[in-house]
Amino acid sequence: MSKVIEVVEGLAAPIVEELNLELVDIEYVKEGKNWFLRVYIDKDNGVDIEECGVVSEKLSEKLDEIDPIPYNYFLEVSSPGAERPLKKTRDYEKAVGKNVFIKTYEPIDGEKTFEGVLTDFNGEEVTIDILIKTRKKSIKIPMEKIANARLAVTFS
C-alpha cells in the first residue's frame, strides 16, 4: 500500500503545486469490498469544489496513463476538513497557537490523549497547554511518541 501512496504522491504533487495548493495527505484504504484512494488538498482560505474537481480530473488522467493500482478503486479529492491531520513538520509549525488533539503510543503523565493549545514545536517535541479543571498544565510530547495528531475544533 505504501508503494501506491508513494506513486500517487509523485503524480499529485506537481498538479497540486501548479494550482498553488497544498497536498495534505493521501490514503489508500479498503472499506468493505471497495478500495478508496483519497487525496486531501488545502490552501490558506480552504479549497472549493471546483479546485477539488480540477485536481481529480488531472490526477485521474495521470493515474490512467501509468495504471499503478491493480484493483478497481474510487478516487476522492477533498479538503482535509476543519480537523485536518498534523503529519508534516510544516503542519505542526502552522498549528502553533491553535487547539489540537494528540494521541500517543504510550502514556505520558498517565494519559495517552491530549487536547489543548499547541504552544511550541521545536522539531523534536511539541508543547501543549491543557486545562485540568481550572488549572493550565504544559505537557511536552516527543514527536516519536505521537501516534496521530490533528487540529481540534472548539466551541466556546
Side-chain angles (χ1 to χ4, degrees):
M1 269 196 298
S2 62
K3 181 71 174 159
V4 168
I5 290 172
E6 190 179 302
V7 169
V8 173
E9 185 173 359
L11 297 172
I15 294 167
V16 171
E17 288 171 17
E18 175 186 315
L19 298 168
N20 294 316
L21 301 171
E22 175 190 358
L23 181 59
V24 175
D25 198 12
I26 298 171
E27 297 176 343
Y28 180 56
V29 294
K30 187 173 187 181
E31 294 178 1
K33 60 182 176 157
N34 297 314
W35 284 91
F36 291 86
L37 176 60
R38 295 188 176 114
V39 177
Y40 298 99
I41 60 173
D42 208 358
K43 67 179 181 188
D44 286 341
N45 298 327
V47 292
D48 59 33
I49 196 159
E50 288 83 20
E51 290 165 315
C52 291
V54 168
V55 171
S56 178
E57 189 176 306
K58 290 181 177 221
L59 181 56
S60 185
E61 288 173 11
K62 294 287 185 191
L63 288 166
D64 288 347
E65 281 175 26
I66 68 167
D67 200 21
I69 301 173
Y71 309 102
N72 290 334
Y73 61 93
F74 295 95
L75 173 62
E76 298 176 352
V77 177
S78 67
S79 161
E83 293 191 334
R84 70 177 278 171
L86 305 177
K87 294 193 170 198
K88 303 171 187 159
T89 299
R90 183 169 182 250
D91 298 335
Y92 285 94
E93 291 168 349
K94 287 172 64 175
V96 171
K98 296 180 180 171
N99 208 53
V100 297
F101 176 84
I102 296 176
K103 189 178 248 183
T104 59
Y105 290 113
E106 58 191 56
I108 296 174
D109 290 348
E111 300 291 331
K112 288 178 75 173
T113 59
F114 304 90
E115 185 168 338
V117 176
L118 180 65
T119 57
D120 190 40
F121 169 69
N122 66 14
E124 294 185 18
E125 67 182 7
V126 297
T127 303
I128 182 171
D129 284 355
I130 62 171
L131 277 178
I132 302 170
K133 297 189 182 186
T134 57
R135 204 178 99 238
K136 186 167 43 170
K137 180 178 179 182
S138 288
I139 303 210
K140 293 188 182 299
I141 305 171
M143 293 301 292
E144 69 269 7
K145 291 191 179 181
I146 296 176
N148 60 52
R150 62 173 168 76
L151 293 179
V153 174
T154 55
F155 301 96
S156 33

